[in-house]
Amino acid sequence: MDNSDIEEMFEGLGPVSIRRMFGGKGIYHDGLIVAIDLRGEIMLKVDAVSAPEFEAAGARQWFYEGKKGKPVLMPYWSVPEDAFDDPDEMRKWVRLAFDAAVRANSKS
């Protein structure tokens, strides 16, 4: 996804900065990572508070295969499909991602 498409996707949250990382891109708002662009797919930051909403909306959690083939679950989930056609829905999901990033930062 190119940077202008990413910026448009997150405009309901406010300005974002985009940095290359892990062969993809990190997407930041107010200095906190809220999403990653991994192989052309945006994955939003999620935590234990917001995961049930993402799961109920049909989003998928990102994982990679760890040692001995065991999946390693990451705190990023796909964007629910309905959000791509509705700016208000997209605003809701990117706001949930930012809220998860704030909570993760407050634990540090």
Side-chain angles (χ1 to χ4, degrees), residues 9-82:
M9 183 179 200
F10 285 83
E11 69 186 0
L13 183 59
V16 295
S17 60
I18 302 164
R19 301 181 208 152
R20 297 207 60 64
M21 62 183 287
F22 306 127
K25 299 174 184 178
I27 303 161
Y28 297 78
H29 177 68
D30 285 347
L32 301 175
I33 188 163
V34 294
I36 55 175
D37 179 350
L38 185 64
R39 294 182 293 276
E41 182 177 16
I42 299 296
M43 305 296 283
L44 299 174
K45 178 90 170 168
V46 175
D47 62 5
V49 174
S50 56
E53 279 192 73
F54 277 82
E55 187 172 22
R60 298 175 278 85
Q61 186 172 12
W62 174 41
F63 69 91
Y64 65 90
E65 195 170 305
K67 293 182 180 180
K68 299 181 183 179
K70 290 187 133 192
V72 177
L73 300 174
M74 300 300 291
Y76 295 93
W77 289 59
S78 62
V79 177
E81 287 298 319
D82 293 348

